[in-house]
Amino acid sequence: MSLIANPILPGFHPDPSILRVDDDYYIATSTFEWFPGVALYHSRDLAQWRQLPSPLDRRSQLDMIGDIDSGGVWAPCLSYAHGRFHLIYTDVKSRRGAFKDTHNYLVSAERIEGPWSEPTPLNSSGFDPSLFHDDDGSSWLLNMIWDFRKGRNAFAGIALQRYDIERQQLTGPVHNIFRGTSLGVTEAPHLYRRNGYYYLVTAEGGTGYGHAMTVARSRELTGPYEVDPTNPVLTSNPDARDQLQKAGHGSLVETPGGEWYCAHLCARPVVAGRCMLGRETALQRCVWTEDDWLRIAGGPYPSHRVAGPELHWQPPLAEPDHDTFESPSLYRYWQSLRRPFDDTWLSLSERPGCLRLKGGESMQSTHRQSLLARRLTHLDVEVETRLSFDPEHFQQMAGLILYYDTKDYVYLRVTREETLGRCLGIVVSRHGVYDEPLTVDVPLMAGDVRLMARLAREKLRFFHAPGDAQSDPDRHADAIDWQPIGEPLDISHLCDDDPDYIRFTGTFIGLCAQDLSGAGLAADFHEFDYRPGKSR
C-alpha cells in the first residue's frame, strides 16, 4: 500500500473541495486576492497532483480591482452533475467590522480544463457556498449566514435553498438547517448522502489553532440534523506543534473501491506559532463506524503520512521551477494581484526571452500592481533572477519580492537615487510600517544585475551579482560570486498570524515593478529560478 505525504498541496492552498469523476480526482482551493481565481489540481492516485488551468481567468468572471487584503475568492466548491462541472465561489469585497459583502457565483464547464462559463449570480447572504446534487436530480445551494446585528451570533447557521440548474436561479424557501455546535464559527458546509442519511460537514472553531471539522446527519434534507456525539471529527493537537495544525474545513471523497478520504486545510508553524507558508491542503483516510458515523483513521488529529488507496500510482507532473520566459504563455503556478495577465502591464513578446513588467502602483495598492509571483512552498529555498532595468528617478523600482499582503513584504529593489545614481536597496513593510534597513543603498554598475534570495525557515538573506555572471549548467548558485546585501532578516511576519487581525493567504515570492510617476517604465526579467532545499 502506498503512502500519501502531507501536505499534498504545500504552500498557500486553503479551503480544499475534493471531487471524483470516474477515475479522476480534482481539488479546488481558495486564491483570495490572487489572480487567476481558484487553484485547480488533478490526480489519479490522491498522492501526486498536477495543476490545471484556473477556471476564473478573465475579468468578466472575477473583477477584484480594489478587493481588500484576504478578500476576493473564498472557499470554492467543485461538483459534477448532468454532464457538467460546477464551481461555486465567493468574491468578498469587505470583511472588517460588522459587515461582510460576500457575493456568491456559479460557473460551469463540460470539461475540467474549460472553457468555463460566465458567472451566474446566486446570493450574498453569507460565504463558503457549496452545491449539493441529490439522488433525485435536484440541486441545492448551501452557505453560512452572516448576521451583522449587535448581540447576535454572526455565524447564524447554514442556509439551504434549491437551485434550478436549467433556469440558473435559486427557487423556493431558504431553510436554516444547522446552527452549529458549542465550538461556534460554523461555516464551510458540504452535504453528502450515504446509507439513507444526509451528512452535513462543517468547519467550526475559527480558522486558527482551534479550527475543527464537525459532522451532523439527518434522514431528511432539511433536518433536523443530529450532531455526531464525538465531535469534532477532525482537529489539531495544540500541544504538538510539530504536527499539522489548524486542521479543519474538510471535504469528503469516495474511491471506486469504497475507500473514503477527507481533504482539509492545515498549517505548519515555523516560529512563535507563525505559519509563513499559509494554510495548506492535506488528506486523511476515513472509516465508518457500525452505526454510520464518520471517523478519521487513527483518531481526530491529522497525520503527516497516510495510507493511500489501491489506485495506480501516477508519476509527478510538476512544471519546471526554472522559468526562462521563452514560452508564449506563463506557467500555471504564476499569479498576479487582483488583475488578469494582459499587455497593459505584462508581456512575454515585447522582448523575447524576457518577462517585461511595466511599472505599476505601489506595494500597498489594492488596484493595479505589476507583480507576478508564485507560492512559497518550501522553507529552505534559493530564488534567483536577472534584471534589466534603468530607472530615471526614485519613484521607479523593480526587483525580487517576498510578499504576503499590502502591509507585509520584503523587497530587494533597483531604483535611482539623486547622489548614488542607479542603486540597490531593501524595502521592508512590517504590519504596515515602512522601513529601509540599509544605511546607504549599494551603487550599481551599468548593465544587468542578478538578484538572489536565500531563505532558511524564518531567516532571509539577499545577495546580488553582476548580470554577466553565469551559473554553471547544473544551476548551482555557488558558481556565481554572490555579494550579500544587508543583514539576515526575520520575515516571520509574512504569515497568517497577524497580531491585530487574522489573515488567510500565504507568502509568495516573485518579481515586480513600480512606477509611481505614472510613466510605466518597463523592467525586463530574463529568468526566474526557484531552487528548493531538502525540507519543505
Side-chain angles (χ1 to χ4, degrees):
M1 181 175 289
S2 62
L3 288 178
I4 296 173
N6 281 319
I8 55 171
L9 300 178
F12 164 55
H13 288 102
D15 311 327
S17 170
I18 191 168
L19 171 70
R20 178 177 67 85
V21 178
D22 298 326
D23 294 326
D24 295 289
Y25 297 85
Y26 306 101
I27 285 180
T29 67
S30 298
T31 43
F32 293 85
E33 66 263 37
W34 291 92
F35 202 95
V38 179
L40 196 58
Y41 292 85
H42 167 257
S43 178
R44 285 289 183 92
D45 61 7
L46 294 179
Q48 305 290 335
W49 293 86
R50 174 177 62 97
Q51 190 167 5
L52 298 175
S54 292
L56 307 180
D57 61 0
R58 54 193 186 272
R59 184 168 292 170
S60 60
Q61 296 172 311
L62 181 64
D63 187 352
M64 295 193 294
I65 298 298
D67 277 12
I68 56 172
D69 289 339
S70 291
V73 175
W74 285 19
C77 177
L78 192 62
S79 64
Y80 185 81
H82 310 294
R84 292 184 71 85
F85 290 92
H86 303 272
L87 180 73
I88 307 276
Y89 62 97
T90 308
D91 181 8
V92 176
K93 298 303 185 184
S94 68
R95 55 178 285 259
R96 301 196 73 148
F99 300 99
K100 284 181 172 55
D101 294 291
T102 57
H103 307 308
N104 296 318
Y105 300 94
L106 166 67
V107 294
S108 65
E110 291 185 4
R111 299 175 62 251
I112 193 70
E113 295 87 358
W116 290 79
S117 69
E118 290 299 296
T120 298
L122 298 173
N123 66 20
S124 302
S125 60
F127 48 87
D128 290 3
S130 67
L131 197 61
F132 168 66
H133 307 284
D134 208 347
D135 295 343
D136 63 2
S138 63
S139 297
W140 300 81
L141 177 73
L142 299 98
N143 60 268
M144 65 79 64
I145 304 167
W146 183 257
D147 191 339
F148 58 85
R149 295 173 294 177
K150 181 179 179 180
R152 305 295 182 102
N153 180 2
F155 290 78
I158 302 301
L160 174 76
Q161 188 176 13
R162 187 161 184 167
Y163 179 73
D164 188 320
I165 285 184
E166 288 190 3
R167 296 166 60 195
Q168 298 186 359
Q169 66 181 37
L170 293 166
T171 181
V174 178
H175 306 272
N176 190 335
I177 62 171
F178 186 62
R179 295 186 181 273
T181 74
S182 59
L183 284 176
V185 195
T186 307
E187 56 189 350
H190 293 286
L191 265 178
Y192 305 90
R193 194 167 187 179
R194 180 184 181 274
N195 287 357
Y197 284 107
Y198 292 94
Y199 288 89
L200 178 64
V201 176
T202 62
E204 293 196 300
T207 195
Y209 282 91
H211 205 204
M213 184 185 87
T214 60
V215 175
R217 71 184 183 187
S218 173
R219 294 287 186 182
E220 302 295 331
L221 177 64
T222 56
Y225 280 81
E226 171 195 9
V227 175
D228 188 328
T230 66
N231 268 332
V233 171
L234 172 70
T235 190
S236 295
N237 182 357
D239 297 324
R241 290 301 175 94
D242 61 329
Q243 300 298 310
L244 298 174
Q245 294 295 319
K246 302 183 181 180
H249 201 118
S251 173
L252 306 179
V253 70
E254 183 183 11
T255 72
E259 301 166 283
W260 285 78
Y261 285 84
C262 172
H264 65 93
L265 70 78
C266 64
R268 293 175 290 170
V270 179
V271 61
R274 298 174 180 175
C275 302
M276 293 168 52
L277 298 181
R279 297 171 302 156
E280 307 172 288
T281 288
L283 200 67
Q284 305 300 324
R285 190 179 182 90
C286 301
V287 295
W288 292 91
T289 65
E290 291 184 358
D291 56 349
D292 287 325
W293 285 112
L294 181 78
R295 298 286 178 266
I296 300 298
Y301 299 146
S303 300
H304 281 286
R305 296 288 184 272
V306 174
E310 296 297 334
L311 299 174
H312 179 68
W313 182 78
Q314 170 187 295
L317 296 168
E319 293 178 310
D321 287 327
H322 182 213
D323 195 345
T324 59
F325 301 117
E326 294 174 329
S327 171
S329 60
L330 291 165
Y331 289 137
R332 291 169 185 163
Y333 54 66
W334 288 114
Q335 295 211 252
S336 62
L337 280 170
R338 297 176 177 86
R339 59 173 172 166
F341 307 141
D342 62 50
D343 58 10
T344 65
W345 68 277
L346 176 153
S347 175
L348 292 169
S349 60
E350 289 184 12
R351 185 174 177 181
C354 288
L355 167 72
R356 171 162 289 180
L357 296 181
K358 300 170 186 179
E361 295 176 347
S362 75
M363 296 79 74
Q364 70 183 45
S365 172
T366 59
H367 290 78
R368 293 172 180 83
Q369 289 200 49
S370 295
L371 187 153
L372 189 72
R374 57 172 288 174
R375 290 163 179 81
L376 184 68
T377 54
H378 301 77
L379 292 170
D380 178 5
V381 66
E382 290 180 341
V383 178
E384 177 188 345
T385 189
R386 178 162 64 93
L387 170 64
S388 298
F389 182 57
D390 190 16
E392 299 171 352
H393 51 76
F394 73 94
Q395 291 180 317
Q396 296 169 333
M397 301 175 284
L400 183 63
I401 193 166
L402 283 88
Y403 185 94
Y404 187 92
D405 62 13
T406 61
K407 292 184 177 179
D408 284 276
Y409 50 85
V410 182
Y411 184 17
L412 178 62
R413 58 94 175 99
V414 174
T415 187
R416 184 170 293 273
E417 198 267 340
E418 291 86 347
T419 303
L420 296 174
R422 196 175 73 129
C423 57
L424 181 65
I426 299 172
V427 169
V428 175
S429 180
R430 183 176 282 104
H431 308 310
V433 179
Y434 176 91
D435 190 24
E436 298 176 18
L438 297 184
T439 303
V440 179
D441 283 0
V442 176
L444 292 174
M445 302 289 290
D448 294 353
V449 59
R450 286 188 175 274
L451 309 176
M452 197 252 283
R454 180 177 293 160
L455 180 65
R457 294 183 65 82
E458 77 277 15
K459 297 298 183 182
L460 174 74
R461 193 80 187 269
F462 282 129
F463 299 83
H464 68 102
D468 57 0
Q470 297 296 319
S471 297
D472 70 18
D474 294 326
R475 305 298 307 156
H476 293 308
D478 292 342
I480 292 178
D481 184 19
W482 290 103
Q483 298 299 309
I485 178 169
E487 297 299 320
L489 298 168
D490 183 335
I491 63 165
S492 61
H493 61 104
L494 305 185
C495 69
D496 292 351
D497 310 279
D498 185 278
D500 298 322
Y501 199 69
I502 190 169
R503 303 183 288 189
F504 301 130
T505 58
T507 302
F508 279 68
I509 186 163
L511 310 168
C512 61
Q514 297 79 28
D515 191 339
L516 307 185
S517 73
L521 181 69
D524 292 332
F525 296 89
H526 297 258
E527 62 183 334
F528 185 90
D529 201 11
Y530 182 98
R531 297 186 290 267
K534 295 180 179 180
S535 62
R536 286 204 290 198

